[in-house]
Amino acid sequence: MRPNLLILGGTTEGRALSAALAEAGVPGTVSMAGRVARPLEQNLPLRIGGFGGVAGLVRYLKDHAITHVIDATHPFAAQMSRNAVAACAETGVPLLAYTRTPWQAQPEDDWSHVPDLAGAVAALDGPSKRVFLAVGRMHLEEFTAQPQHAYVLRLVDAPRTALGFPEATVVVDRGPFTLEGDRALLRDHDIELVVSKNAGGKGAEAKIIAARELGVPVLMIDRPAIPPRTEAHSVDEVMRWLAHGFADLGV
Ligand code: NAP
């Protein structure tokens, strides 16, 4: 039986994995939600858009004879990851999550933790500050409930409609980001607080290191819970898991 992978992507990790799979000649498709206007090129064929919940994903896995699912989505893409766990359990398609370990506070860090985005919004209740709000575009509206701050927002695409903040500066850029660039960003905008999801990995870590160096506090949003699943933390580990799975397929 020929392998046919579905890689749930939209991340630096997913892109690196698709490059390694293409180089190894492993057939598969990368899936993205369609949140950004110009998705980065992938080395494997790309499909874009939601599947339609667990039922839609089950249908997709069956219709496309998917042999393995690799969930390389962002750690905060919890709905997609939960759906993958449920759909793979229902169909018996093996699932591997390619995950990143969360960032850990170092002694020089000044972090406060909140459990979720709502907690971050609530924690911003206080006097006006210059805040680097590094949470992506999808949840910005929730933060308009704290309009007293001067926000710096980094977005992949320039917003097409008003964001609803009295004072906001938009920086259009996409990761991976450099330490030099993020140090300059925090300095140039006199940032007094960084709000970040605990994404882990290297691509978005620069702002955390820059905040550490400059003594800027970080409001860290802890990760959402995802049901237990088999995990790998590197492209090599994913390849080893697949080699084992391909042997089971008789490849
Ligand atoms: P989410 O809340 O977990 O997903 C909501 C819905 O979007 C899913 O139920 C699914 O729709 C669809 N979806 C999500 N990821 C998809 C994928 N890779 N392929 C096809 N459909 C997908 O996800 P999110 O937080 O909005 O993130 C969306 C995408 O952006 C993910 O691919 C993620 O890797 C990437 N991303 C997210 C963040 C973040 O902070 N959340 C940061 C960087 C990149 P259906 O139920 O219709 O299938």
Side-chain angles (χ1 to χ4, degrees), residues 8-11 31-33 35 47 49-53 73-74 76-80 83 197:
L8 303 170
T11 54
S31 175
M32 290 197 196
R35 303 277 191 262
R47 70 160 296 285
F51 298 95
T73 56
H74 190 274
F76 279 71
Q79 189 57 53
M80 186 69 253
N83 291 357
K197 296 171 175 174

Side-chain angles (χ1 to χ4, degrees), residues 46-154:
L46 179 64
R47 70 160 296 285
I48 296 182
F51 298 95
V54 176
L57 182 54
V58 165
R59 210 164 33 246
Y60 183 94
L61 298 180
K62 288 181 178 165
D63 289 352
H64 294 81
I66 298 296
T67 57
H68 301 76
V69 176
I70 315 279
D71 180 356
T73 56
H74 190 274
F76 279 71
Q79 189 57 53
M80 186 69 253
S81 291
R82 289 183 195 121
N83 291 357
V85 170
C88 287
E90 192 174 326
T91 52
V93 175
L95 167 71
L96 180 72
Y98 174 15
T99 58
R100 337 163 183 177
T101 40
W103 297 317
Q104 301 288 342
Q106 306 296 306
E108 321 85 79
D109 280 319
D110 177 7
W111 291 8
S112 4
H113 290 267
V114 286
D116 50 25
L117 282 151
V121 173
L124 284 175
D125 187 20
S128 170
K129 284 192 176 137
R130 300 194 56 81
V131 177
F132 178 30
L133 186 56
V135 297
R137 176 176 54 90
M138 298 300 291
H139 298 279
L140 287 182
E141 200 182 337
E142 294 159 49
F143 287 88
T144 60
Q146 303 289 5
Q148 71 275 32
H149 303 295
Y151 291 99
V152 173
L153 312 165
R154 181 160 59 193

